[in-house]
Amino acid sequence: MVQLPSNWDVIVVGGGAAGLMAALELPAELRVLLLSKDHAPRSSSRWAQGGIAAVTNADDSFTSHRDDTLNAGGGLCDPPAVELLVREAPACVERLLELGMDFDRHHGTLSTTLEAAHSHRRVLHAQDRTGGALVDALERRVLQRPGLVRLQGALALQLWIDAGRCCGLQMLHAGSLRWLQAGAVVLATGGGGHLYANTTNPSQASGDGIAMAWQAGAAIRDLEFVQFHPTALMLPGAPHFLISEAVRGEGARLIDGHGASPVSHLPQGDLAPRDAVSRALVQCMREQHLEHVWLDLRPVGRARLEQQFPTILGRCRELGLEPTSSPIPVAPAAHYWMGGVRTNATAATTVEGLYAVGEAASTGVHGANRLASNSLMECLVFARQLRQLDCAPARAPQPATEQPLSGLPVPTGEQFRQVERSLGELRQLCWQVAGVERQGHALREGLRRIPALREPIQGDPWLRASAALPQTRTCALGTTASAWISRAHDLQQRLVVTQLLLEAALFRQESRGGHFRVDAPSAQPFWQRHTLQQRHQPIHTEAVAPLS
C-alpha cells in the first residue's frame, strides 16, 4: 500500500455532492485529499429523490426564483446569498451537463417539474434518483482529477488549530490514528438529520462536522431551524424512506383517517411549504390518534408513476405496498438542517483556513425554511466558489513517530452496548423535545437529561488519549480500540451538537419557519435575526444581511 502523505494543499471532508463538487472545482494545481467516513457511498446527497432548482425556462426568471426562496425562508434569508444562488444556478446546470449528468428531457429539452412553494416549474430531475445520478456523475469526474487522492473509511476526529488558523486535522483510518497538515480544510460533512429517531437521512448525517467546527471556535448559526419532510414512509421496522413531494407536484394527495385532506386549510394545500404541511399532519395525527396519515398517488396515473418515480414504486413494492392501487402510510421526519457552520459568499467560516459547503454550512440561502430543491443547487454553487481559493501553502511535513497508547483498559462489550443505548435514547430525546412542535419546558428538560447520556464516555481514557496525541505522533490501534474510539467519538459529537440544537431552540422564543414553539406560536419582528453560537461565548444574534 502506498504511504499517504502527511501534508496537503486542501483536505475535503465528506464524499457527498458538496464534497465531490468542491474537490472538482478547487484550483487544478492544488493537491487535494478527499476523505469520507464510509467505505461505500451513503451520503444524504445520494438519497435525494427531489431535484435541482434552476431557472431554465423562458417563462421563469431570477426574480421569481429569488422571491420564492425569500418567501419560504421566513425573513431570515440573506438576500446577497440568495441572489448568488439563483444567478449561478443555470451555469451549474451547464457544468453538470458537461460532467455527464443525465437529466430528464421532454421532446429534447430539459424537463422541469413543480415542487412546493415554487411559482414556476423549475426543478430538474433524473427520474426520482436525482441525488444518486448527481453523485455518480461527480464521482466519475473526481476520480480523473490529477493530484487528488480519495480515502474512504476515514473518520475526521478533530481540527488542527494553530494560532487561530486551521492547518489540518486528526484522522482515524485503518486502525491508525494520525494528524494531517493542510493549507485549508473544507467541511462537506452534511447535516444532522440522524440526531432524530425519525429521519430520512442515513446514519452518517450526525452533525459531526458542525461539532468539530464549534470545538475549533467557528461560529455556528441557526441550528434551531430543522426541516421536517411531511411525507416519509411510515411502516413498523422499516427505514423512513422519503416520498418526494414531486409526486404531490404531479397530483398526489394527502388524506387523513376520514379520507379528507389534512391540509385543505393551507393556502397552497398539498404544495404549501414543508413546515406548514408537517405541522398540519402532526396536529391531524394527534387529534385523530393516528401514527401516520396517507398519501394517495393514484391521481398521478400509473404510467406517469412508472416513468417518473420508479425508485419510490420499487421501494414501496419491496415492503409489500402497491401505490398504484391504494394510499401509502406517511408521516413527518427530520430531513434537512437549515443551520450550520456560518460561512460567507466564498464558503469561508469565521476560522481562517476553514471552509464549509453543503448542508454543514449556513450560507444564508435557506433562512428559517429551505425552498424545495434548493439544497443540491446550494451544494454546487458554493462549492464552485472554491475555484477562487487562495490557500496558505501547507507546511513542510513534520516527521511523525509512532507512539502507542499503552496501559489503557480494553473496552468491553458492555461498554459498547452502553454507548448504543445512549445513542438510541439521545435520538428519541431529540425527536420528543426538538421535533415538529417544541415547548420551552420540554427543551429545558431535554438539556437536563443530556449529562446522563454522556456517562458511558465520561472521562474515557481512549478519547482523552487520542485528543491529546501530539501532531508529531501517529498511533497504531487494535481492532477493538479503533472501533471503540469511532463509536465513543460518534456519541461525543452527537451530544455536543444535540445540546447546541436544544439550546438554540430554547433561546428563540418565537415560531418561524422550521422552528415552531407551541408556547410562542407567532413570529416576532425583533426575532428576525440569526442565532449565533460560539465556544466560550453566550448565545447571541446577528442581523440578516442587507440586500447589496
Side-chain angles (χ1 to χ4, degrees):
M1 181 178 176
V2 177
Q3 180 69 29
L4 185 75
S6 62
N7 68 320
W8 298 84
D9 293 317
V10 182
I11 299 175
V12 178
V13 187
L20 292 168
M21 193 68 170
L24 273 176
E25 296 296 334
L26 284 163
E29 69 274 12
L30 299 181
R31 295 165 52 253
V32 178
L33 177 64
L34 176 62
L35 304 181
S36 55
K37 280 193 278 191
D38 286 277
H39 294 279
R42 295 185 62 224
S43 68
S44 293
S45 305
R46 185 173 284 280
W47 289 26
Q49 297 170 24
I52 300 176
V55 174
T56 59
N57 294 328
D59 64 345
D60 199 359
S61 68
F62 293 146
T63 299
S64 175
H65 190 183
R66 179 200 66 197
D67 290 348
D68 288 346
T69 301
L70 294 174
N71 290 337
L76 287 190
C77 298
D78 287 332
V82 176
E83 285 283 351
L84 177 65
L85 176 90
V86 302
R87 293 187 178 277
E88 291 293 322
C92 282
V93 171
E94 291 300 321
R95 175 71 166 137
L96 292 180
L97 292 171
E98 290 174 12
L99 295 173
M101 178 72 179
D102 189 19
F103 286 115
D104 293 343
R105 292 179 179 270
H106 181 67
H107 299 312
T109 62
L110 291 174
S111 177
T112 54
T113 190
L114 183 69
E115 291 191 5
H118 285 274
S119 56
H120 290 81
R121 297 177 72 93
R122 68 168 65 97
V123 181
L124 305 168
H125 287 266
Q127 293 187 314
D128 59 349
R129 60 174 304 273
T130 308
L134 172 63
V135 171
D136 288 344
L138 295 176
E139 280 185 330
R140 285 193 298 269
R141 194 58 66 93
V142 158
L143 296 177
Q144 301 170 12
R145 176 187 164 124
L148 180 138
V149 173
R150 183 182 183 186
L151 196 64
Q152 295 179 298
L155 178 62
L157 296 177
Q158 60 178 319
L159 296 170
W160 180 348
I161 304 296
D162 186 8
R165 179 182 178 84
C166 182
C167 50
L169 54 77
Q170 187 187 52
M171 174 187 76
L172 176 63
H173 176 253
S176 177
L177 190 64
R178 63 181 297 191
W179 290 91
L180 299 172
Q181 295 174 283
V185 172
V186 179
L187 296 176
T189 48
H194 206 264
L195 297 173
Y196 288 88
N198 293 347
T199 181
T200 63
N201 290 183
S203 59
Q204 289 72 26
S206 61
D208 58 334
I210 294 170
M212 276 196 298
W214 179 81
Q215 289 160 336
I220 309 300
R221 185 166 65 181
D222 293 342
L223 286 193
E224 65 269 38
F225 296 109
V226 178
Q227 188 171 85
F228 298 89
H229 199 287
T231 54
L233 191 65
M234 285 291 158
L235 281 177
H240 301 304
F241 180 70
L242 183 148
I243 308 298
S244 168
E245 67 194 348
V247 300
R248 283 178 281 139
E250 297 299 329
R253 294 292 175 260
L254 289 158
I255 55 176
D256 63 14
H258 306 300
S261 170
V263 293
S264 59
H265 61 289
L266 300 177
Q268 294 166 280
D270 287 271
L271 291 178
R274 289 175 176 176
D275 61 306
V277 176
S278 290
R279 285 197 302 275
L281 298 191
V282 166
Q283 291 163 8
C284 170
M285 290 156 57
R286 183 172 58 246
E287 292 167 0
Q288 298 186 18
H289 306 289
L290 300 171
E291 293 295 321
H292 56 77
V293 293
W294 290 264
L295 183 65
D296 189 355
L297 280 67
R298 292 174 296 183
V300 180
R302 178 185 288 269
R304 178 165 283 184
L305 285 171
E306 298 282 3
Q307 178 185 357
Q308 289 187 222
F309 306 107
T311 305
I312 291 174
L313 293 185
R315 182 63 64 89
C316 288
R317 288 164 177 165
E318 287 172 5
L319 296 170
L321 302 173
E322 182 45 69
T324 63
S325 61
S326 59
I328 59 176
V330 297
H335 180 58
Y336 188 87
W337 211 344
M338 276 74 74
V341 185
R342 182 187 183 278
T343 60
N344 63 17
T346 64
T349 74
T350 57
V351 172
E352 189 179 359
L354 180 64
Y355 298 79
V357 290
E359 196 172 346
S362 171
T363 63
V365 164
H366 302 306
N369 190 31
R370 173 181 70 105
L371 182 67
S373 292
N374 265 354
S375 55
L376 284 176
M377 184 53 76
E378 182 202 35
C379 287
L380 305 175
V381 167
F382 286 86
R384 292 200 81 198
Q385 297 300 100
L386 294 171
R387 288 174 297 172
Q388 314 302 324
L389 181 70
D390 183 18
C391 67
R395 302 174 181 179
Q398 300 182 33
T401 57
E402 181 72 22
Q403 176 179 310
L405 300 183
S406 56
L408 301 182
V410 177
T412 65
E414 177 56 27
Q415 285 179 286
F416 277 94
R417 288 188 288 274
Q418 287 176 351
V419 164
E420 295 307 316
R421 283 194 292 270
S422 277
L423 284 167
E425 290 175 24
L426 184 64
R427 295 183 67 210
Q428 287 292 342
L429 173 67
C430 198
W431 179 253
Q432 290 161 5
V433 307
V436 176
E437 295 183 334
R438 303 163 176 181
Q439 294 192 54
H441 70 83
L443 290 163
R444 280 188 287 271
E445 175 62 17
L447 287 166
R448 189 191 65 79
R449 288 173 55 188
I450 282 181
L453 298 175
R454 190 177 284 114
E455 285 183 8
I457 58 169
Q458 192 72 44
D460 179 72
W462 289 97
L463 290 181
R464 283 206 315 264
S466 61
L469 186 74
Q471 281 88 4
T472 55
R473 298 288 188 268
T474 64
C475 180
L477 301 168
T479 303
T480 301
S482 181
W484 171 253
I485 289 175
S486 177
R487 293 308 286 153
H489 180 266
D490 184 37
L491 175 58
Q492 172 184 274
Q493 301 300 72
R494 285 172 180 258
L495 285 162
V496 166
V497 79
T498 299
Q499 181 162 335
L500 290 171
L501 165 59
L502 267 58
E503 288 174 350
L506 181 62
F507 176 70
R508 183 173 290 273
Q509 298 179 45
E510 65 152 2
S511 292
R512 186 184 297 270
H515 169 69
F516 185 77
R517 287 276 296 262
V518 175
D519 51 350
S522 300
Q524 301 296 333
F526 51 85
W527 276 108
Q528 193 176 345
R529 297 174 62 85
H530 294 295
T531 303
L532 280 186
Q533 291 164 284
Q534 205 159 358
R535 197 170 193 179
H536 308 309
Q537 294 186 25
I539 189 169
H540 57 289
T541 67
E542 73 171 0
V544 173
L547 183 61
S548 57

